[in-house]
Amino acid sequence: MTFSRIAGTGSYLPPKILTNDDLSKIVDTSDEWIRERSGIRERHVVVAGETTSTLAVAAAQRALAAAGVNASEIELLIVGTTTPDLIFPSTACLVQNLLGANGCAAFDVNAACSGFIYALSIADQFIRSGTVKTALVIGAETLTRMTDWTDRATCVLFGDGAGAVVLKADAEAGILSTHLHADGAYRHLLHNPVGVSVGFKENEKNAGVRVMMAGSETFKVAVKTLDSVVTETLNANALDRSAIDWLIPHQANLRIIEATARRLSMPMEKVIVTVDRHGNTSSASVPMALDEGVRSGKIKRGELLLMEAFGGGFTWGSALIRF
Ligand code: ACO
């Protein structure tokens, strides 16, 4: 049997930081409200010249260095993103060229905040089937480029960043299982209502690319579906929840993360939390949290990791990994 192993991780945050106090000068909000409702204290934001692909390249270079892999060895490059640089070419093609990995298969996956888990699952299938031996999987976002800075209900939540992993084929697992789901019936609860085919104006007057979210409805579905995907993952691997060493959740809201940890009876010391400093970085959040866990020395080789994510679509998914 062939499995995918994570050979190296990397992440990159744009240097500019926006604190809750900074936001309270833009919209009617407060540090206290944002921290209480979401757990977020600050987030990193891109400035002119920075794009999803530049963040992705920086994260990828760190992951390649950690894995001891050259860009020329990459056979498959997938970017999970909902904020591509361009409509086309894909961000993956731009990243491939900037890295010098020209020639390999490269494409984007748009599954909103679940984009990295979706991309990881796809790369895992390519490796398991023997099609490729080395893959680069990235989650990268510049969500603040489609944030409505007049809407206090959403603009306080999002941040920018990128995370990456290098996967290599191995006789030992590795990625034990991945579980992907979506339910488009919920599309209106969390969406960006403009695009190429429907047009870039919401109505006659209003042009704009912006995130719209029914926060408390989204919150409720997120808790319920994450609960069920965690149970599905444990059952598929005939594992008790006590077997999990680390929970690496999508970082949308500390209260959602705590609810999933309670479901697993995991103390918060066993949960990687970055939402306080990163905000919600959509598909970048899980690989950035993984990289932070690895580089801080918390996550060690051989430990069992459970990753999960939930986002617009709705989409949700999980990955169980022997690191
Ligand atoms: N500052 C101050 N007050 C605010 C702010 C703000 N920034 N935003 C909203 N409020 C007010 C509201 O107007 C409302 O006032 P009202 O009671 O007078 O009407 C009150 O605060 C409560 O608002 P709620 O939306 O009910 O607050 P809630 O406790 O639900 O928290 C939050 C909001 C943080 C958005 C939460 O619902 C949440 O995290 N939802 C899920 C997010 C998520 O998981 N998204 C999925 C991934 S994201 C992706 O895919 C891109």
Side-chain angles (χ1 to χ4, degrees), residues 43-45 141-144 157-161 278-282:
R43 70 287 293 142
H44 290 247
V45 296
E141 302 280 8
T142 48
L143 279 188
T144 65
L157 301 174
F158 301 113
D160 303 326
H278 297 178
N280 180 350
T281 57
S282 191

Side-chain angles (χ1 to χ4, degrees), residues 169-206:
D170 203 302
E172 271 178 58
I175 297 179
L176 295 164
S177 70
T178 56
H179 306 267
L180 306 180
H181 297 279
D183 188 345
Y186 290 108
R187 54 188 281 237
H188 294 299
L189 290 185
L190 176 54
H191 63 145
N192 188 326
V194 298
V196 178
S197 198
V198 298
F200 281 96
K201 282 187 177 180
E202 278 175 69
N203 56 48
E204 284 303 302
K205 293 182 215 123
N206 185 0

Side-chain angles (χ1 to χ4, degrees), residues 28-30 33-34 37-38 112-113 143 152-153 156-158 190 211 213 215-216 218-219 222 250 252-253 255-256 280 282 310-312:
D28 181 16
T29 190
S30 66
W33 191 96
I34 302 170
R37 301 292 174 124
S38 70
C113 298
L143 279 188
R152 68 176 182 172
V156 302
L157 301 174
F158 301 113
L190 176 54
V211 179
M213 177 166 70
S216 60
T218 301
F219 188 99
H250 172 47
N253 184 307
R255 291 184 293 148
I256 299 177
N280 180 350
S282 191
F310 176 89

Side-chain angles (χ1 to χ4, degrees), residues 35 79-80 126 138 154 173 176 179 210 212 223 236 258 271 281:
R35 273 193 291 107
V79 178
F126 271 83
I138 304 171
T154 54
L176 295 164
H179 306 267
R210 64 195 181 105
M212 297 169 80
V223 170
E258 286 169 344
V271 182
T281 57

